[in-house]
Each structure stands twice: as C-alpha cells, then as structure tokens.
Amino acid sequence: MSERSQRIVAPIVIFVVIFLAWEGLVTALRIEQFLLPKPTAILSNLVRVIRIDTADTTVLADNEAAALLRVNRLLVDLPGDISPEVLAPLEEAHIAEFRQGSRRVLLSRGVNLTPILQASWYTLKEALGGLALGGIAGVLVALATARWTATREALLPFAIAANSMPIIAFAPIFNNWFGIDNPFSKMAIVAVMVFFPLMINTVRGLVSVPPRSLELMRSYAASEFAILFKARIPNALPYLFSGLKVAGALAMIGAIVGEYFGGPRIALGVFITQEAALFRFASAWAAIFSACLMGISIYLLILLAERLAMPWHSSFRE
Amino acid sequence: MTEPVVLLDSVDKTFGDGTANQVHALKNINLSIGRNEFVSLIGPSGCGKSTLLRVIGDLISPSAGTAQINGKNARQARLDREYGMVFQAATLYDWRTVAKNVQLPLELMKYPKEKKEQRTREMLELVELSDFAGHFPWQLSGGMQQRVAIARALAFEPSILLMDEPFGALDEMTRERLNLELLDIWRKTNTTVVFVTHSITEAVFLSTRVIVMSARPGRITQDIPIDLPQPRGVETRENVRFFELETQVREALRESERPTP
Ligand SMILES: Nc1ncnc2c1ncn2[C@@H]1O[C@H](COP(=O)(O)OP(=O)(O)O)[C@@H](O)[C@H]1O
Ligand SMILES: [Mg+2]
C-alpha cells in the first residue's frame, strides 16, 4: 500500500473501530440511552420520519384537516427528535383511518437533518465571522508591531497573558453588551478568543527571520517595506498557519459555548441545550457531532489553504 | 594610482564592548584595494575575516576607524549597491524557487521583467543550474545552493564582489571549475573581488594579492603579491612559482599563529 493511501485508510479504519466499539460497549454494558446513546441511534435520529404530507386536504373533514395541520405545525415547530407520543397516534389511528376513507395521506420518510443543518449553518457563520474579524485584527496588529519594536515590547507580554486567560468566561458579558439574540455577540467573543494566538504567532514569525537573511536584504539596501514583504511575511506564514489551526478550533468552541449562555432558538448551542433539557439525547448528540464535523472541516480547510499558500514548506516534503 | 576601490583606515572592531564576553575581533586594519584586484583574505578560523568583510559591506559598523568604498563612505556605497555579497552559508529564501532567489536583487532594483528573466537565465547557465530553475532550495545539495547564492550575487553585475568562503562547502571538482568560472567573470566584468578562503591553493590560484591575518585580535600580518601570469588556467597549478607562493603563504600563516608578545 502506498504511503498516501495508507494515510487515508488508517483514519477510516480507526473511525470504524471506534464506532463498533462504542456500539458494542453500550449494548453489552446495557448503558441507558440517556446516558450515552448508541451511534446507530444517533445516526438513525438524523433520518427519522418527520414529515406528513397531505395530498388533498380539501376532501378531509374540517376537524381532520385541522388535526393534520396541527400535527404538521407541531413537527415543524419541534426540530430534532419526534417523541413517540406524537408519532404513535399518527401511525396507528389517523393514517389507517385516512387510508380507509380513500383520502390520500402520505407518511413520508424525511430527514431530521434540516433543523440541525440550519442551526449548524447559523453557528458556523458566527464562528467564521468571528474568526475573520479576530484574525484580520490579529494580523494587522502583528504587522504594526513588527514595524514598531517599542509597541511590540509593550504589547507582547500583555498578549501572552491574555492568551492564557479563559476568554470564554466573558461570554455572558458579551451577550449582554451586544444582545443575546444578536449573532454579533458570539462573533465578538470568537474574535477576542482568536485574536491573541494569531497575533502572537504572527509576531513571532515576523521577527524570527534569520539574521543572515536580513543582512542579505541590507546588502541590497532594501527598504523596510521590501524587507517586510519579501522576508518577514513569507517567514511568518508557517507561524500564521499554526496560529490559524489553534484559532479554528477556538472559533467553534467560542460560538457554541457563547450560545450555551443564551441565543436565538436557531443557534446550535441553544439547540443542544434544549434537546438535552427535553431528554432528547440522541438529537443532542447528533447536533454535537455536527459541531465536531464543522470543527474538523475548518481545520481541513486551513490545512488546504496552508498547502496552497506555501507549497515550499518543509512539512510537505515527500 | 587611481582611487582605491576599498580603503580601510585603522579599522577596529570589538564585539560586546564592556561585557564579560567581549571579543576584540579586528585590530588596526589598514588596507587599500585597487580597481580590478582580486584579493584573498586568509587566516585561522575566528580571526575576523567575515567580520572584516561585513565592515566593508556596512553590515556592521567598525568600533573605530573608517571604511571607504569607491571614494564613498561604506554606508553610502551600500545604499548605492556597489557590491554583491556571497555569505558563508548560502542564505537562500526557502519560499523562493532557484530562479526567484537569483532574481531577488533584480526585483529590489526594479529591473524590467524581460531583463530580469534574461539575467536569471544567464546566471543559472553560468553556475550550471538551468535544469533546477523551478526547484526549491531544500531540493538542492549544499554545493548547488551555494552556486545559486553566487549566481544571485553576480546577477546585478556589481563592481565589487565580497565573497565569504563561497566554495568552502563544495567538492574539489566543482570548486576548481567554479574557480575558473570566477576568474573568467572577474576578467570579463572588471570586478574587484575580496575573497575569504581557508584554502591556500585556492587563494594563490585566484588572487593578485593574498592578505594573511592572525587571530585574537584579528590583524593583518602579511600582504603577499601573487605575480603569477594572467590569465590563469590549469597550467598555472603546474608553474614552479605557484608552489613557491603556496609555501610563502603557508609559512606566513604558520608565523601568524605564533603567539605574539
Ligand atoms: N555578532 C558577533 N557578536 C559577537 N562576537 C562575534 C560576532 N561576530 C563575530 N564574532 C567574534 O569575532 C571573532 C571573529 O569572527 P569571524 O569574523 O566570524 O571570524 P572568521 O570569519 O575569520 O572565522 C570570533 O571570535 C567571533 O566569535
Ligand atoms: Mg567566517
């Protein structure tokens, strides 16, 4: 097997092993579903029956139509898991009854994915927005400090101290400042969280140019501007990307935990807390997986960007 | 005599002055190098050869004394890009391909695109790396990297070449070939070369003058004119005078290593 395919196959094998072990252990140890659902339960939660389409409600009796509409609304209003209490009467009584009366009522197999996808997209936008804001600010401040050494000496210890603080603890404050339902309150906390690692890493990259490289530039009487663009910034790229990888993970954490402290119902963090509060753990788990997948996707995107931006770097040498 | 290209007057350099690890690297260096000379600096490791070269290039400033290049102070000469420097280590930029590394000074000096590419092609041909134009430095051997650095220094046709053991890392065959190439360039382009080397043979073969230095503090102990006929070639190494001069330099070096009272 080639090294390349090995790199792809190995994680898949590990994933399958973990999946099977999890499923097996939960079954063998008879762990309660609300403590830890089986992965198959979490998966099947994503593809459960949730939609009831009525083909010709006009021929339904008034009260029947009203009942169906109510059920529909109920389903639309309740994202995630559908409790058996809702489904059972539908399946047993109504459906059979409607069939008999030749009124076509279709019980279709739909996906439960929609509310989770919607919530994920909402939260992803917050995370990426915050990442962009904090990232741009971090890089700009780093560039400024590369030019003005005094600023750097003053700022860097402060930034390193700030970077070791649990900035997420400020989330309720930010919610209060910018409005709990305003996505900007989450973007702001994310921006502050990612600002410090990005700034610190970029500064390190900008100032860690080997002295000989700078002497070379000096021997060509290169301007500060040229030195910045031709020596410092390329030198800082690997540092910037390692900062970005940290920041990408922080961004998802910041957005979701920020939402745990409150936010609109459409937000993923709010969805997770609500589903958990209603004992719909499989649904909560599914949403958590979605958050994990987004985190991994952000990481992979950064990795891809890194490869495109610096194909010369030693980490890609074959 | 015409105005000297390099003129050092009582140059002194002390690193870390006043600290515990103070190093007196250069002491009272007086040196005048005329147009079109090929001067080699030779001496034990740590005697201040690189430091001297960096003073000439205004990469560090002397603690005392002055350095003049082409009649200007060293700083002005650097700003006017009077010299090209080849460092002891190749000092290539990892993120640039071989061709882009050679182009670096041309970019900084705003060469038009066409001329830039043409010069790059010529220089890579000269150091026989045309096939590696698109490679990155890490894909090259140490010797090849050094050849890129030489091509880069020559690319903008500076009137002075400052070379700090440029061939130190190369194998004997490549080194001899590049010695001949360098002499060829020197003859054709009217460049003045200041060349640091460890090798007595190399110093005698290339130079019109060999400056012998001694360590702690670094100073000039002998100034040996090399009166071998020009142009030099493979036959130069068989000249009896070549061996005499080698012996003379070797003895000067041995003498300079003796502790001074
Ligand atoms: N930047 C520096 N700071 C302190 N000491 C230095 C520095 N550069 C060189 N030296 C010292 O100066 C002396 C001469 O160094 P160098 O010029 O590199 O010698 P050479 O090139 O002849 O081997 C050495 O003792 C070295 O340790
Ligand atoms: Mg040296």
Side-chain angles (χ1 to χ4, degrees):
Chain A
M1 202 189 304
S2 80
E3 233 175 271
R4 202 184 175 79
S5 57
Q6 214 167 356
R7 270 213 301 262
I8 296 167
V9 169
I12 294 176
V13 169
I14 291 172
F15 179 80
V16 170
V17 167
I18 291 176
F19 188 97
L20 291 178
W22 180 349
E23 184 81 20
L25 280 175
V26 172
T27 313
L29 301 176
R30 293 165 200 240
I31 295 173
E32 298 280 4
Q33 284 285 307
F34 71 90
L35 286 179
L36 184 63
K38 291 179 201 168
T40 45
I42 295 168
L43 274 183
S44 68
N45 178 66
L46 291 177
V47 285
R48 273 188 73 172
V49 183
I50 60 150
R51 259 174 55 236
I52 293 140
D53 295 331
T54 52
D56 46 1
T57 45
T58 45
V59 292
L60 290 177
D62 274 358
N63 60 338
E64 287 169 336
L68 265 179
L69 271 175
R70 194 169 53 77
V71 170
N72 263 329
R73 183 154 311 130
L74 194 65
L75 293 175
V76 170
D77 276 356
L78 279 180
D81 212 354
I82 303 167
S83 61
E85 304 91 82
V86 176
L87 263 186
L90 276 178
E91 280 171 354
E92 288 162 18
H94 297 271
I95 310 297
E97 210 176 284
F98 293 155
R99 281 237 176 81
Q100 271 176 1
S102 82
R103 294 153 185 156
R104 287 188 298 130
V105 174
L106 307 171
L107 181 69
S108 65
R109 298 221 148 235
V111 275
N112 192 17
L113 220 47
T114 330
I116 291 182
L117 279 185
Q118 272 178 346
S120 300
W121 174 235
Y122 181 86
T123 298
L124 183 65
K125 281 190 291 190
E126 286 178 348
L128 292 181
L131 184 59
L133 284 177
I136 291 170
V139 170
L140 286 182
V141 171
L143 286 175
T145 65
R147 182 69 189 79
W148 293 290
T149 319
T151 326
R152 178 171 73 242
E153 300 303 321
L155 269 183
L156 210 55
F158 170 75
I160 290 169
N163 194 32
S164 51
M165 297 188 319
I167 291 169
I168 190 69
F170 290 96
I173 311 287
F174 277 68
N175 281 347
N176 183 41
W177 280 348
F178 299 107
I180 204 157
D181 283 345
N182 183 351
F184 187 73
S185 64
K186 314 300 183 287
M187 283 188 207
I189 192 89
V190 170
V192 176
M193 283 171 78
V194 302
F195 173 85
F196 292 104
L198 274 170
M199 179 209 148
I200 293 169
N201 268 287
T202 310
V203 167
R204 289 211 177 111
L206 290 171
V207 299
S208 72
V209 182
R212 285 290 172 278
S213 294
L214 292 179
E215 275 197 338
L216 181 73
M217 280 298 192
R218 211 173 129 80
S219 81
Y220 298 137
S223 64
E224 277 295 326
F225 195 71
I227 293 176
L228 180 65
F229 278 90
K230 292 186 194 293
R232 291 193 188 279
I233 291 180
N235 188 72
L237 276 184
Y239 294 81
L240 174 67
F241 276 107
S242 63
L244 259 181
K245 286 176 201 161
V246 173
L250 283 178
M252 277 316 292
I253 294 173
I256 289 183
V257 177
E259 289 164 355
Y260 282 172
F261 293 112
R265 291 183 59 182
I266 182 126
L268 194 62
V270 177
F271 181 88
I272 293 170
T273 42
Q274 282 191 350
E275 295 297 287
L278 295 170
F279 300 108
R280 291 195 289 244
F281 289 105
S283 177
W285 274 92
I288 292 169
F289 274 140
S290 174
C292 296
L293 277 180
M294 285 193 289
I296 294 170
S297 307
I298 291 177
Y299 182 82
L300 290 177
L301 276 179
I302 293 168
L303 221 54
L304 180 71
E306 186 181 35
R307 251 174 199 263
L308 293 177
M310 32 182 236
W312 45 268
H313 195 248
S314 56
S315 51
F316 310 133
R317 292 171 193 176
E318 303 285 325
Chain B
M1 203 180 122
T2 55
E3 166 188 272
V5 171
V6 176
L7 182 63
L8 299 177
D9 182 18
S10 336
V11 165
D12 232 81
K13 179 68 194 180
T14 307
F15 288 107
D17 208 353
T19 66
N21 38 16
Q22 167 177 329
V23 180
H24 195 177
L26 294 175
K27 187 187 174 188
N28 192 30
I29 303 285
N30 292 290
L31 180 62
S32 170
I33 298 173
R35 185 153 309 283
N36 227 357
E37 276 197 83
F38 194 123
V39 175
S40 283
L41 303 175
I42 195 165
S45 147
C47 74
K49 305 179 295 290
S50 298
T51 304
L52 186 57
L53 218 55
R54 289 163 71 217
V55 167
I56 296 173
D58 185 47
L59 299 177
I60 51 174
S61 32
S63 309
T66 56
Q68 284 207 328
I69 314 297
N70 284 340
K72 312 166 184 176
N73 68 48
R75 182 183 142 74
Q76 192 54 50
R78 175 175 63 81
L79 294 180
D80 293 345
R81 290 150 175 163
E82 300 272 356
Y83 69 85
M85 178 85 120
V86 179
F87 292 93
Q88 211 165 339
T91 321
L92 303 177
Y93 285 173
D94 284 347
W95 49 87
R96 284 173 169 258
T97 60
V98 165
K100 287 279 174 194
N101 264 292
V102 173
Q103 270 177 30
L104 177 67
L106 308 181
E107 275 171 31
L108 292 166
M109 294 169 201
K110 307 252 165 12
Y111 273 49
K113 188 169 185 291
E114 205 120 293
K115 186 152 183 233
K116 195 166 69 184
E117 278 162 10
Q118 187 205 333
R119 280 300 292 170
T120 307
R121 258 196 315 278
E122 287 169 12
M123 289 303 103
L124 287 180
E125 230 161 82
L126 182 69
V127 295
E128 296 188 359
L129 284 175
S130 301
D131 292 344
F132 293 87
H135 283 57
F136 285 105
W138 60 270
Q139 295 169 306
L140 269 54
S141 72
M144 288 157 97
Q145 293 182 9
Q146 199 59 22
R147 275 145 69 197
V148 178
I150 292 164
R152 181 181 59 190
L154 293 171
F156 64 103
E157 301 171 89
S159 68
I160 304 166
L161 266 178
L162 306 177
M163 308 180 86
D164 194 350
E165 299 186 36
F167 306 140
L170 303 188
D171 60 277
E172 200 60 29
M173 296 292 290
T174 318
R175 171 185 270 227
E176 282 183 11
R177 196 176 56 71
L178 283 174
N179 278 347
L180 288 171
E181 295 282 13
L182 180 60
L183 284 177
D184 201 40
I185 293 160
W186 169 64
R187 253 193 319 273
K188 280 185 193 151
T189 55
N190 278 338
T191 354
T192 307
V193 182
V194 185
F195 188 93
V196 171
T197 178
H198 264 125
S199 156
I200 298 170
T201 310
E202 190 176 54
V204 172
F205 179 71
L206 292 173
S207 314
T208 55
R209 222 170 121 196
V210 173
I211 308 283
V212 181
M213 292 178 68
S214 78
R216 270 166 290 276
R219 60 204 182 284
I220 295 175
T221 53
Q222 281 208 50
D223 187 339
I224 303 169
I226 306 295
D227 51 10
L228 291 167
Q230 299 278 2
R232 310 224 172 122
V234 270
E235 69 290 344
T236 306
R237 294 181 203 275
E238 281 138 34
N239 194 326
V240 186
R241 184 77 189 124
F242 184 77
F243 295 109
E244 286 173 10
L245 286 163
E246 266 195 335
T247 310
Q248 196 181 341
V249 173
R250 186 169 295 114
E251 275 167 7
L253 268 172
R254 204 171 297 144
E255 210 154 292
S256 79
E257 278 184 58
R258 243 177 247 151
T260 41

